[in-house]
Amino acid sequence: MASQDLVDFEREVQQATTVASQAYPWTERRLYVRSLARAKREAQALHHKLTTVQAAVAKLCAYKRGKRVYRSEAELQTAVTGLVAAAGVSGLLALSYSSVADKAGLC
């Protein structure tokens, strides 16, 4: 990999230990290196995961034979929370709820 494909930075961290009542401090250099290509792949994967979860949440209220009908907003919120948590994207989606009740149920 060429150096322009990497992002790196350095931090100095103060460390210390005590051996036989004698303190030994030192400064440790920590180098952080990250591949830009990997960062791009991870961003694309996250975007795909968010899109998939959004589609799954939208399908929760689809009317189809044999499909669960949510009778309350609390039931729907529980289902949505479960989907979002299972996908590992909690806190990354802005969720809002509005209900339209009909004889079939909520949604």
Side-chain angles (χ1 to χ4, degrees), residues 32-45:
Y32 298 86
V33 179
R34 174 123 185 184
S35 163
L36 293 176
R38 181 175 178 178
K40 184 178 179 180
R41 283 193 312 271
E42 288 176 357
Q44 289 172 341

Side-chain angles (χ1 to χ4, degrees), residues 69-107:
V69 176
Y70 296 96
R71 303 275 180 209
S72 71
E73 191 172 314
E75 287 180 35
L76 182 60
Q77 285 181 350
T78 302
V80 169
T81 303
L83 275 174
V84 170
V89 293
S90 297
L92 299 177
L93 286 175
L95 301 169
S96 64
Y97 299 88
S98 62
S99 59
V100 176
D102 61 11
K103 61 184 180 183
L106 190 68
C107 286

Side-chain angles (χ1 to χ4, degrees), residues 2 14-15 17 28 56 93 96-97 105:
Q14 299 299 320
Q15 298 287 348
T17 190
E28 187 174 275
L93 286 175
S96 64
Y97 299 88

